[in-house]
mmCIF file of all heavy atoms in Angstrom:
data_model
loop_
_atom_site.group_PDB
_atom_site.id
_atom_site.type_symbol
_atom_site.label_atom_id
_atom_site.label_comp_id
_atom_site.label_asym_id
_atom_site.label_seq_id
_atom_site.Cartn_x
_atom_site.Cartn_y
_atom_site.Cartn_z
ATOM 1 N N ARG A 168 -53.137 -2.952 47.053
ATOM 2 C CA ARG A 168 -54.253 -2.288 46.371
ATOM 3 C C ARG A 168 -55.184 -3.314 45.722
ATOM 4 O O ARG A 168 -54.753 -4.404 45.318
ATOM 5 C CB ARG A 168 -53.715 -1.330 45.305
ATOM 6 C CG ARG A 168 -52.848 -0.207 45.903
ATOM 7 C CD ARG A 168 -52.242 0.680 44.830
ATOM 8 N NE ARG A 168 -51.342 1.671 45.395
ATOM 9 C CZ ARG A 168 -51.704 2.883 45.814
ATOM 10 N NH1 ARG A 168 -52.987 3.261 45.701
ATOM 11 N NH2 ARG A 168 -50.820 3.715 46.326
ATOM 12 N N ASP A 169 -56.447 -2.938 45.602
ATOM 13 C CA ASP A 169 -57.398 -3.807 44.923
ATOM 14 C C ASP A 169 -57.324 -3.569 43.420
ATOM 15 O O ASP A 169 -56.488 -2.793 42.935
ATOM 16 C CB ASP A 169 -58.821 -3.588 45.462
ATOM 17 C CG ASP A 169 -59.327 -2.152 45.244
ATOM 18 O OD1 ASP A 169 -58.793 -1.446 44.358
ATOM 19 O OD2 ASP A 169 -60.259 -1.742 45.963
ATOM 20 N N GLN A 170 -58.224 -4.222 42.657
ATOM 21 C CA GLN A 170 -58.162 -4.128 41.193
ATOM 22 C C GLN A 170 -58.476 -2.727 40.683
ATOM 23 O O GLN A 170 -58.162 -2.390 39.533
ATOM 24 C CB GLN A 170 -59.131 -5.133 40.581
ATOM 25 C CG GLN A 170 -60.584 -4.944 41.026
ATOM 26 C CD GLN A 170 -61.488 -6.031 40.482
ATOM 27 O OE1 GLN A 170 -61.032 -6.972 39.825
ATOM 28 N NE2 GLN A 170 -62.796 -5.908 40.745
ATOM 29 N N ASN A 171 -59.035 -1.895 41.535
ATOM 30 C CA ASN A 171 -59.318 -0.511 41.151
ATOM 31 C C ASN A 171 -58.233 0.465 41.607
ATOM 32 O O ASN A 171 -58.376 1.686 41.443
ATOM 33 C CB ASN A 171 -60.674 -0.069 41.733
ATOM 34 C CG ASN A 171 -61.825 -0.890 41.192
ATOM 35 O OD1 ASN A 171 -61.885 -1.171 39.986
ATOM 36 N ND2 ASN A 171 -62.740 -1.293 42.071
ATOM 37 N N GLY A 172 -57.182 -0.083 42.204
ATOM 38 C CA GLY A 172 -56.075 0.756 42.640
ATOM 39 C C GLY A 172 -56.264 1.379 44.008
ATOM 40 O O GLY A 172 -55.438 2.205 44.432
ATOM 41 N N GLN A 173 -57.320 0.998 44.729
ATOM 42 C CA GLN A 173 -57.562 1.540 46.056
ATOM 43 C C GLN A 173 -56.787 0.745 47.113
ATOM 44 O O GLN A 173 -56.704 -0.480 47.043
ATOM 45 C CB GLN A 173 -59.067 1.505 46.382
ATOM 46 C CG GLN A 173 -59.920 2.338 45.440
ATOM 47 C CD GLN A 173 -59.537 3.811 45.479
ATOM 48 O OE1 GLN A 173 -59.460 4.413 46.555
ATOM 49 N NE2 GLN A 173 -59.285 4.388 44.315
ATOM 50 N N ILE A 174 -56.222 1.473 48.089
ATOM 51 C CA ILE A 174 -55.469 0.807 49.146
ATOM 52 C C ILE A 174 -56.415 -0.020 50.010
ATOM 53 O O ILE A 174 -57.462 0.461 50.448
ATOM 54 C CB ILE A 174 -54.716 1.836 50.012
ATOM 55 C CG1 ILE A 174 -53.716 2.623 49.150
ATOM 56 C CG2 ILE A 174 -53.991 1.145 51.164
ATOM 57 C CD1 ILE A 174 -53.026 3.741 49.899
ATOM 58 N N MET A 175 -56.041 -1.264 50.256
ATOM 59 C CA MET A 175 -56.902 -2.180 51.006
ATOM 60 C C MET A 175 -56.707 -2.009 52.511
ATOM 61 O O MET A 175 -55.612 -1.688 52.980
ATOM 62 C CB MET A 175 -56.607 -3.619 50.575
ATOM 63 C CG MET A 175 -56.866 -3.863 49.088
ATOM 64 S SD MET A 175 -56.528 -5.554 48.565
ATOM 65 C CE MET A 175 -57.845 -6.434 49.409
ATOM 66 N N VAL A 176 -57.778 -2.244 53.265
ATOM 67 C CA VAL A 176 -57.789 -2.096 54.715
ATOM 68 C C VAL A 176 -58.024 -3.459 55.357
ATOM 69 O O VAL A 176 -58.871 -4.235 54.910
ATOM 70 C CB VAL A 176 -58.883 -1.102 55.161
ATOM 71 C CG1 VAL A 176 -59.001 -1.057 56.681
ATOM 72 C CG2 VAL A 176 -58.596 0.289 54.606
ATOM 73 N N HIS A 177 -57.292 -3.749 56.421
ATOM 74 C CA HIS A 177 -57.442 -5.035 57.093
ATOM 75 C C HIS A 177 -58.706 -5.030 57.948
ATOM 76 O O HIS A 177 -58.936 -4.071 58.699
ATOM 77 C CB HIS A 177 -56.222 -5.329 57.962
ATOM 78 C CG HIS A 177 -56.127 -6.756 58.381
ATOM 79 N ND1 HIS A 177 -56.793 -7.248 59.485
ATOM 80 C CD2 HIS A 177 -55.459 -7.808 57.834
ATOM 81 C CE1 HIS A 177 -56.541 -8.540 59.607
ATOM 82 N NE2 HIS A 177 -55.729 -8.907 58.622
ATOM 83 N N PRO A 178 -59.530 -6.071 57.854
ATOM 84 C CA PRO A 178 -60.811 -6.076 58.579
ATOM 85 C C PRO A 178 -60.653 -6.100 60.101
ATOM 86 O O PRO A 178 -61.533 -5.623 60.812
ATOM 87 C CB PRO A 178 -61.496 -7.355 58.074
ATOM 88 C CG PRO A 178 -60.382 -8.208 57.558
ATOM 89 C CD PRO A 178 -59.367 -7.269 57.010
ATOM 90 N N ARG A 179 -59.551 -6.638 60.599
ATOM 91 C CA ARG A 179 -59.389 -6.722 62.054
ATOM 92 C C ARG A 179 -58.907 -5.404 62.659
ATOM 93 O O ARG A 179 -59.472 -4.918 63.643
ATOM 94 C CB ARG A 179 -58.398 -7.852 62.420
ATOM 95 C CG ARG A 179 -58.055 -7.916 63.906
ATOM 96 C CD ARG A 179 -57.233 -9.157 64.248
ATOM 97 N NE ARG A 179 -55.977 -9.193 63.540
ATOM 98 C CZ ARG A 179 -54.858 -8.551 63.921
ATOM 99 N NH1 ARG A 179 -54.869 -7.794 65.011
ATOM 100 N NH2 ARG A 179 -53.746 -8.659 63.229
#
Side-chain angles (χ1 to χ4, degrees):
R168 298 176 185 271
D169 61 21
Q170 58 185 4
N171 297 317
Q173 298 299 309
I174 299 175
M175 300 180 69
V176 174
H177 196 275
R179 174 172 61 83

